[in-house]
């Protein structure tokens, strides 16, 4: 263990642990509750900001209803969607948080609800009042609001999608070959979260090629199998389709696929390259398969249904990660609240075949092993990992990640000096990194178990990254409450992982960016195509300077700081080649 590592582990197990919202032996419930809202896991619950903007009306009054004016009800609904719906569900029927249906809230009564919102609970409810995040008036309003029936946001079917759908450049008017001299595979698409844009940056010259307007608080980019089309999804569920072959890369089509979303993907199986795109939504709970040339919506599937464990009806299971199989004409769709993974076969979408795999509740993100055959994904609120064999189309295993709230992104594949091919995930709730064996043939005893735990900078990690050409595993910690930690990255040398307690090198990325104001967080490493350098976002507030820091992978030295006033709140980065080929 390095000195730094020892320091942070010590801090983590004492004061900082409470700040992270972790259970600490001997700490009172009050300690934990006081600080809950600062914890990385609490910060990472979805904020349904687009739903927060919809206009709602007070449902029909019933005897005994608390009094609310229409404007109070509207304000409370906005607050609820932004702060509470991520855990308690849009319809208040419960998700990771408890249900708040009126039979329960009325039984509890106004005073109980007001105090609960004010002080929180050791079970995970943030202390909205004592943390200063909600005023007394807001808490009074929220207590009354949840005693009334919830407003129901609108559905979004084919008619609504078609109404929003725009094709700016029809396929017939697009070039038949690449018309620019960009090295497309070297481009990196950078999410500019708070400006609702993506920046396309050249991987060699570090020049911004173009900035595109996309959906609100745009989330991720994915690339079509051929590398020609880049797709983005906004939190408002808007999909943008950008043609990278045109003289100047251009948005050729857009569509709204719902009201809240996080995922988009395109078909990758041989013979089906670029044929379809798919977007999954948080609201309404559904996914839509679209034409891969135009985004025309073709098939919408609801995800409402029974939960995997208690087999109860869930009215709003959100769609989390979606990946495209390399072994079958299938999309692999994580359905969060029911805990099911659907293998959606797109070979005949009029006779859609779906294999439904019973996994674990609260599925979030995940990625492939190095062969592309196994999809490894986190049921993060249950601390579980789920493995799907995408060649055979079935569940392989479900096991404990041995840490608190695994958050792999797409994970990282390394060739371990002892255990062979392993895949890594870090955790939001503690400093552990789990290395998981992925080679059932060569290393059957280690397959689908945590073969080694590494200790990183601290809790609040979101992403790990490596590249087949690299001997390094990079681990960020952007949601750690300590600025020194959230501004740095830990790097492990893969060939040293046979040591008993592998040490890491700490890279002071935020310091390198030399940003005078704010407290930027360093998030999500992404390699260039060649695997020679890794890019990190230095993510500051919207009105402050941000940057991208490029690190030389061999020397671990600073190579370049990319700054530009247009780089507002950069977060995710997606190299065209690595993303389309699932290299990570
Ligand atoms: Fe993400 C991926 C959901 C907050 C950056 N994020 C994903 C995926 C999901 C998801 C379901 C997987 C998509 C896929 O593979 O198809 N993210 C959510 C949320 O619900 C959450 C917790 C809260 C919210 O309200 O959105 C959330 N995410 C964030 C952030 O705050 C991050 C750090 C900054 C940002 O831009 O919003 C963030 N999420 C990312 C990134 C990926 C991602 C960079 C893609 C990682 C990859 O390597 O593929």
């Amino acid at each position: 263990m390095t000195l730094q590592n020892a320091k942070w582990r010590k801090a983590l197990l004492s004061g900082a642990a409470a700040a992270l919202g972790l259970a600490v032996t001997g700490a009172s419930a009050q300690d934990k509750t006081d600080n809950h809202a600062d914890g990385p896991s609490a910060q990472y619950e979805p904020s349904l900001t687009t739903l927060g903007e919809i206009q709602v009306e007070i449902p029909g009054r019933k005897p005994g209803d608390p009094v609310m004016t229409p404007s109070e009800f509207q304000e409370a609904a906005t607050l609820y969607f932004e702060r509470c719906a991520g855990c308690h569900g849009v319809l208040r029927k419960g998700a990771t948080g408890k249900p708040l249906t009126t039979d329960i809230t009325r039984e509890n009564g106004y005073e109980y609800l007001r105090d609960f919102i004010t002080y929180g609970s050791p079970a995970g409810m943030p202390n909205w009042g004592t943390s200063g995040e909600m005023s007394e008036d807001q808490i009074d309003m929220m207590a009354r609001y949840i005693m009334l029936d919830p407003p129901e946001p609108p559905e979004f079917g084919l008619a609504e999608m078609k109404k929003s759908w725009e094709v700016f450049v029809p396929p017939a008017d697009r070039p038949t070959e690449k018309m620019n001299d960009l090295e497309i595979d070297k481009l990196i698409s950078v999410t500019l979260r708070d400006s609702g844009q993506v920046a396309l940056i050249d991987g060699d010259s570090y020049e911004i090629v173009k900035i595109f307007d996309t959906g609100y608080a745009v989330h991720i980019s994915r690339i079509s199998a051929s590398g020609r089309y880049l797709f983005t999804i906004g939190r408002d569920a808007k999909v943008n389709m950008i043609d990278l072959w045109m003289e100047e890369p251009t948005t050729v089509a857009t569509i709204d696929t719902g009201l809240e979303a996080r995922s988009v993907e395109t078909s990758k199986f041989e013979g089906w390259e670029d044929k379809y795109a798919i977007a999954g939504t948080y609201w309404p709970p559904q996914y839509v398969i679209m034409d891969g040339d135009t985004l025309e919506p073709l098939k919408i599937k609801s995800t409402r249904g029974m939960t995997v464990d208690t087999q109860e009806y869930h009215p709003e299971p959100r769609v989390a990660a979606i990946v495209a199989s390399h072994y079958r004409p299938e999309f692999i769709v994580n359905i969060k609240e029911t805990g099911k993974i659907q293998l959606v076969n797109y070979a005949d979408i009029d006779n859609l075949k779906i294999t439904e795999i019973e996994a674990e509740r609260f599925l979030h993100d995940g990625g492939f092993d190095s062969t592309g055959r196994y999809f490894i994904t986190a049921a993060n609120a249950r601390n579980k990992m789920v493995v799907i064999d995408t060649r055979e189309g079935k569940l392989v295993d479900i096991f404990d990640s041995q840490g608190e709230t695994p958050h792999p992104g797409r994970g990282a594949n390394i060739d371990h000096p002892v255990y062979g091919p392993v895949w890594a995930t870090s955790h939001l709730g503690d400093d552990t990194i789990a290395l998981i064996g992925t080679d059932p043939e060569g290393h059957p005893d280690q397959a689908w178990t945590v073969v080694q735990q590494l200790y990183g900078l601290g809790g609040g990690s979101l992403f790990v990254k490596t590249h087949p050409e690299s001997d390094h595993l990079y681990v960020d910690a952007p949601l750690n409450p300590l600025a020194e930690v959230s501004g740095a990255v830990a790097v492990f040398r893969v060939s040293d992982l046979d040591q008993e307690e592998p040490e890491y090198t700490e890279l002071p990325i935020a310091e390198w960016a030399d940003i005078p104001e704010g407290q930027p967080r360093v998030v999500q490493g992404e390699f260039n195509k060649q695997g020679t350098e890794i890019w990190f976002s230095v993510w500051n507030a919207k009105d402050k300077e941000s940057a991208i820091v490029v690190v030389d992978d061999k020397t671990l030295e600073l190579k370049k700081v990319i700054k530009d006033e247009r780089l507002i709140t950069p977060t995710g980065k997606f190299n065209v080649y690595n993303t389309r080929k699932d290299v990570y």
Side-chain angles (χ1 to χ4, degrees), residues 43-48 191 193 217-220 222 235 262-265 282 319-323 336 364-366 407 409-410 462-463 465 478 523-524 526 539 571-574:
Q43 283 178 46
Y44 206 58
E45 291 297 343
S47 171
L48 306 182
T191 297
R193 188 188 198 270
V218 57
H219 204 62
I220 63 164
R222 294 283 184 248
R235 279 183 168 77
R262 303 292 183 270
S263 48
V264 66
E265 180 57 298
Y282 275 14
V319 176
I322 303 180
V323 293
K336 201 186 262 280
H364 192 68
D365 51 356
H407 190 281
R410 284 169 289 168
L462 289 177
F463 300 104
K465 190 67 77 170
V523 67
Q524 205 243 10
E526 174 74 346
W539 171 23
T571 54
K573 295 162 301 307
F574 306 89

Side-chain angles (χ1 to χ4, degrees), residues 364-378:
H364 192 68
D365 51 356
F368 288 108
D369 74 312
S370 58
T371 67
R373 173 172 168 182
Y374 298 101
F375 175 56
I376 311 154
T377 186

Side-chain angles (χ1 to χ4, degrees), residues 432-453:
T432 63
I433 297 122
L435 302 187
I436 293 159
T438 61
D439 182 22
E441 269 144 44
H443 298 78
D445 294 344
Q446 279 86 33
W448 320 128
T449 58
V450 177
V451 294
Q452 187 176 19
Q453 269 185 319

Side-chain angles (χ1 to χ4, degrees), residues 299-318:
K299 181 69 64 186
I300 305 171
K301 283 293 296 174
S302 169
T303 54
R304 292 181 167 112
M306 311 311 269
T307 57
V308 68
D309 41 12
T310 53
Q311 307 210 17
E312 281 167 292
Y313 179 72
H314 200 291
E316 48 172 306
R318 299 166 209 177

Side-chain angles (χ1 to χ4, degrees), residues 46-52 90 156 161 193 215-221 232-240 255-265 278-288 290 317-322 336 364:
S47 171
L48 306 182
T49 37
T50 311
L51 281 188
V90 169
F156 208 86
M161 286 190 201
R193 188 188 198 270
Y216 174 80
V218 57
H219 204 62
I220 63 164
S221 296
T232 63
I233 183 103
R235 279 183 168 77
D236 56 359
K238 181 187 273 304
V239 176
N240 274 55
I255 188 170
D256 296 343
T257 56
L259 296 170
E260 277 281 346
R262 303 292 183 270
S263 48
V264 66
E265 180 57 298
I278 182 172
T281 42
Y282 275 14
W283 187 271
Q286 64 193 28
Y287 52 87
V288 55
M290 298 163 282
R318 299 166 209 177
V319 176
I322 303 180
K336 201 186 262 280
H364 192 68

